[in-house]
Amino acid sequence: MLYGKLGQRVQVRHLSKSFGKISALRDLTFDVEPGELVAFLGPSGCGKTTALKTIAGLLPGHGGEISFGGERIDHLPPNKRNIGLVFQNYSLFPHMTVSENIGYGLRMRRWPLERRAARIREMLALARLEGLGDRKPGQLSGGQQQRVALVRAMAFMPDLLLLDEPLSNLDAGLREDVRADMRNIQRRTRQTTILVTHDQEEALVMSDRIVLMNQGRVEQIDSPEQLYSMPATEFAARFIGRGNILYGTYLRDGDVDAVRIEGLDAPLSASTKAPAVGPAGSPVAACIQPEQIVVSARNDAETLKSRWPRAFIATGKIVDIAFHGGSSVLHLDVEGAGVLKCRRPATEVQGLRFGDRVAVGILDCHLMPQSE
Amino acid sequence: MTGGEFQESGKAFGGSRGTRTRANLPGRFRTGIRIGRIALTAYVLLMLALLALPIVLVVVASFQGGMEVASRPDGWSLSAYEAIPTNYWDALWFTIRSAFWATICALVLAVPAAWGLVRGNLRERRFVSALVLLPDAVPSITLGIALLALFVPLGLSNSFAGITVALTVISLAMALRFTEALMGGVPEELEQAAVTMGASRVTALTTVVLPLLAPGLAIAALFVFVHNLVTFELLLFIAGPRATPISVQLFSDIVDRGVLPQAIAMSAILVYVGIAFHTLVAMTVGARYLAGSAMARKG
């Protein structure tokens, strides 16, 4: 037992919460496996913080069930739920030292003094704060305060750790380091965790699975890879990816999926589609990841065709080109499709300039139902 | 003034020089600053002339044996203090005890009440907040008469308990205003953090909120105590031979026998007590809190 016991499976069933007539949370159902980090992701006002506070017990009067290891805990007051919560602004007790802050949960649980001291030392080491135990929170940097808040919420071995936008109060430069720190601590301790964030990159980098929320409802629950490459809905595609979205009609030819986009003379082949796409002929949204678009000098369409025989080939014009280190991002005004974003390795697009007319190949797309 | 206006006039005044320094702030803006400065100076001078000076005069007079000799620099002595009769000392001691207990009672009642008001999200909050200000809106003398009518049948007039209850009632308004403002300054997340870590709401209050309120509560206690020490109209009617606060004692003696040196000396002692408490609190919790709390009280 290095840092604590391995947690239990967290099950949330049909969780709902409304404020007066406004329902902030509708039928939220998901599991968190022991040791897993699940992110609640969504735009502000989507209900993710409400979900977090409801699980923590800080917003009484909700519908649905919450259980840890099969045992229901939703009837318990927040101080009996054994949930650690890291607040957005850390909420460290300013009148207590770092050690006293970390030891607060242990004191409330009446751990014997020696065991408490040992656990505090362990937590200080985990947060790389050795020797700072006697400082007051006000004497620490933002990143250090954040780590104190994190280990304070973990010290008493909660069944579930909740993080409410834990990085939003940090400078952009610091954020990446702290993110790595937090992920590292979470992996080492195998602490079952729910993270709330509105930052898709944070969610993609940190979590094992993402619960994508929109207007109080779950839009999709999937791994970051799945969510990124195979969004279930147009909302998910727009929120997660920087993909291009085109509207068209679903075509099915034997085992092959494709989409007919109005304005394009041939259908685009689609290797993946969301389960909710209707039968052939139904309207769909096609998501084309920037990596799935290739370009070549205008007279070079044959090369594209021979390299990617199944690609849809069109002509376009470069309306923007930006160098991003290893890759370049091009905005292409493609005939019939409008402006599409394309990301290629920098070496592949060497020599192309703003305003050039080019041959454009669309390799693949992912199909989803259209949002109303 | 809108930002656009500011920019335009800024350009008009100093645009050619390229940078906007204080010298090329728009004219009206500068006039405003000047008026503010004059008002502040006038305020300070008035405070000194009408408040501080008379207090200093009382103190000086106490060493010279009477108000009429205050202008003469000679004849400093402690004779006025030596002439203070025992019943003055008794009255002072009585007042200090009564004011002390009233302050404690008021704060003990006000802290949970403020907690309920601020955290409870009560719809009645505005009403309750306004209700406790009532004693400030009604003349104390009126309250004094009302208390007399209430206390006589209860047997509380002319007693230590009666005076203390009266002071508690009047202190409650002040104490609640202080504690409500103080409580509002403690983020609710701190309590929630304590609760998620296993503390009950009451434990969260005692281990997190109260320690954070403590410096502010000390200031509140000081103001309430000093206020209690000199409360007069409210107690005038319910006081009696067995329960005489110093303010009532001084008043009746001055009415009966004129401004005697010992009365001046006792007034001076009240000034010392007030200053001593102020200094004590300023030294223990810091002058910064003193200023801050006074502001919170006004807001």
Side-chain angles (χ1 to χ4, degrees):
Chain A
M1 188 169 86
L2 180 55
Y3 292 112
K5 64 183 173 188
L6 193 58
Q8 313 182 58
R9 173 199 285 248
V10 175
Q11 291 176 306
V12 173
R13 295 285 171 272
H14 313 297
L15 198 65
S16 64
K17 169 78 193 164
S18 41
F19 299 103
K21 279 184 185 159
I22 304 154
S23 82
L25 207 57
R26 298 177 229 186
D27 200 24
L28 179 65
T29 296
F30 66 94
D31 285 0
V32 188
E33 301 299 328
E36 198 181 25
L37 192 155
V38 167
F40 285 179
L41 175 66
S44 53
C46 73
K48 53 194 193 298
T49 297
T50 304
L52 196 78
K53 292 200 162 162
T54 305
I55 293 169
L58 296 174
L59 296 176
H62 58 81
E65 296 177 10
I66 306 166
S67 51
F68 291 165
E71 209 171 307
R72 279 188 65 171
I73 56 116
D74 46 82
H75 59 286
L76 295 172
N79 54 334
K80 304 278 184 223
R81 290 190 179 194
N82 203 30
I83 290 177
L85 175 54
V86 176
F87 288 80
Q88 196 168 355
N89 55 9
Y90 317 144
S91 291
L92 298 174
F93 304 137
H95 60 296
M96 295 185 195
T97 64
V98 169
S99 293
E100 285 166 349
N101 265 285
I102 296 173
Y104 190 85
L106 312 178
R107 214 173 91 203
M108 292 303 126
R109 282 167 176 72
R110 302 187 195 287
W111 282 28
L113 207 59
E114 264 172 48
R115 196 165 155 234
R116 221 192 289 172
R119 182 68 176 169
I120 292 171
R121 271 198 305 279
E122 192 181 29
M123 288 292 116
L124 284 172
L126 184 64
R128 294 186 287 104
L129 293 167
E130 294 101 332
L132 300 183
D134 294 329
R135 299 260 184 101
K136 291 278 173 68
Q139 297 166 291
L140 301 181
S141 71
Q144 289 171 330
Q145 289 183 19
Q146 210 274 351
R147 296 205 296 271
V148 174
L150 181 65
V151 294
R152 180 179 75 167
M154 294 172 62
F156 52 88
M157 302 181 188
D159 289 311
L160 176 64
L161 177 68
L162 305 174
L163 310 173
D164 187 7
E165 302 265 8
L167 301 175
S168 62
N169 267 358
L170 295 171
D171 298 336
L174 204 57
R175 209 170 293 168
E176 225 160 294
D177 292 343
V178 176
R179 192 163 72 189
D181 267 346
M182 289 182 65
R183 186 57 174 137
N184 193 337
I185 290 175
Q186 193 271 334
R187 285 213 172 106
R188 278 163 67 189
T189 54
R190 305 260 303 126
Q191 169 71 58
T192 313
T193 304
I194 295 176
L195 163 80
V196 157
T197 179
H198 65 273
D199 179 343
Q200 58 274 56
E201 193 188 322
E202 200 173 300
L204 290 173
V205 170
M206 291 187 69
S207 54
D208 298 309
R209 276 189 308 142
I210 296 175
V211 176
L212 182 68
M213 295 180 68
N214 183 25
Q215 297 182 334
R217 256 191 288 251
V218 173
E219 198 79 20
Q220 186 173 1
I221 304 180
D222 251 320
S223 70
E225 298 82 3
Q226 285 277 321
L227 197 59
Y228 185 79
S229 56
M230 285 193 259
T233 60
E234 193 188 329
F235 171 83
R238 288 190 186 278
F239 195 79
I240 297 286
R242 289 160 180 78
N244 305 287
I245 297 195
L246 298 176
Y247 298 105
T249 317
Y250 177 41
L251 296 178
R252 187 155 176 91
D253 180 15
D255 283 345
V256 186
D257 290 323
V259 56
R260 175 174 297 285
I261 310 284
E262 208 173 314
L264 298 186
D265 47 16
L268 303 182
S269 64
S271 62
T272 56
K273 72 178 177 73
V277 171
S282 42
V284 286
C287 173
I288 308 164
Q289 295 298 343
E291 294 80 13
Q292 297 297 328
I293 298 180
V294 291
V295 285
S296 184
R298 193 188 184 187
N299 48 11
D300 230 13
E302 291 312 314
T303 321
L304 284 186
K305 253 177 214 157
S306 58
R307 254 189 94 184
W308 290 288
R310 287 187 54 205
F312 168 86
I313 308 286
T315 56
K317 189 178 153 191
I318 299 178
V319 292
D320 188 30
I321 181 162
F323 177 63
H324 284 244
S327 64
S328 289
V329 172
L330 291 80
H331 289 233
L332 306 165
D333 190 357
V334 177
E335 268 168 44
V339 176
L340 299 179
K341 198 158 70 170
C342 147
R343 179 190 282 270
R344 301 307 305 166
T347 48
E348 204 180 299
V349 294
Q350 241 167 14
L352 294 180
R353 293 276 168 275
F354 170 80
D356 283 0
R357 298 202 68 85
V358 286
V360 179
I362 298 175
L363 305 184
D364 194 9
C365 65
H366 167 76
L367 302 182
M368 307 152 298
Q370 285 183 13
S371 306
E372 299 82 47
Chain B
M1 173 179 298
T2 65
E5 215 180 329
F6 182 87
Q7 233 164 13
E8 262 178 44
S9 21
K11 217 178 274 170
F13 274 82
S16 58
R17 268 175 290 165
T19 54
R20 191 189 296 136
T21 60
R22 244 185 91 185
N24 55 31
L25 282 170
R28 267 185 295 152
F29 193 68
R30 263 182 298 167
T31 315
I33 294 177
R34 205 176 304 134
I35 291 174
R37 285 232 179 91
I38 293 169
L40 179 64
T41 314
Y43 175 82
V44 170
L45 286 178
L46 260 176
M47 286 289 282
L48 285 175
L50 298 179
L51 226 78
L53 190 66
I55 291 174
V56 171
L57 278 182
V58 166
V59 172
V60 170
S62 73
F63 290 103
Q64 297 187 327
M67 287 309 281
E68 67 280 2
V69 291
S71 50
R72 243 182 21 221
D74 58 331
W76 291 73
S77 77
L78 291 172
S79 60
Y81 290 88
E82 283 155 8
I84 294 174
T86 18
N87 65 334
Y88 275 24
W89 291 117
D90 291 345
L92 181 63
W93 179 234
F94 175 90
T95 313
I96 288 174
R97 278 186 301 146
S98 178
F100 175 80
W101 287 114
T103 306
I104 299 286
C105 292
L107 283 175
V108 164
L109 289 171
V111 169
W115 192 48
L117 270 183
V118 175
R119 295 282 187 259
N121 229 345
L122 298 176
R123 209 177 309 154
E124 302 79 12
R125 178 176 171 182
R126 295 182 79 94
F127 174 71
V128 176
S129 286
L131 190 69
V132 297
L133 292 182
L134 205 59
D136 287 1
V138 175
S140 300
I141 195 95
T142 315
L143 277 178
I145 296 168
L147 281 183
L148 180 68
L150 183 68
F151 279 10
V152 167
L154 293 174
L156 277 172
S157 69
N158 190 17
S159 74
F160 178 79
I163 299 281
T164 308
V165 168
L167 285 178
T168 305
V169 169
I170 197 96
S171 309
L172 214 50
M174 201 175 177
L176 192 66
R177 256 189 300 166
F178 265 114
T179 44
E180 201 186 335
L182 289 167
M183 196 72 78
V186 177
E188 192 174 9
E189 276 93 1
L190 289 181
E191 268 178 82
Q192 293 183 334
V195 166
T196 56
M197 281 189 278
S200 68
R201 291 215 73 172
V202 173
T203 312
L205 181 69
T206 54
T207 57
V208 175
V209 180
L210 278 184
L212 290 172
L213 290 184
L217 284 181
I219 306 288
L222 164 82
F223 277 101
V224 172
F225 177 77
V226 172
H227 188 254
N228 283 344
L229 213 54
V230 295
T231 299
F232 166 62
E233 302 101 309
L234 179 76
L235 307 179
L236 184 57
F237 300 113
I238 54 170
R242 278 183 287 124
T244 320
I246 187 66
S247 56
V248 174
Q249 179 74 54
L250 286 176
F251 172 78
S252 44
D253 270 20
I254 290 169
V255 166
D256 289 352
R257 298 150 67 190
V259 184
L260 298 172
Q262 54 264 44
I264 297 169
M266 186 43 83
S267 308
I269 285 174
L270 287 176
V271 173
Y272 306 149
V273 173
I275 291 175
F277 266 89
H278 248 282
T279 315
L280 190 73
V281 173
M283 273 166 50
T284 46
V285 298
R288 202 163 45 85
Y289 282 101
L290 211 59
S293 288
M295 266 186 279
R297 187 170 59 106
K298 276 175 205 144

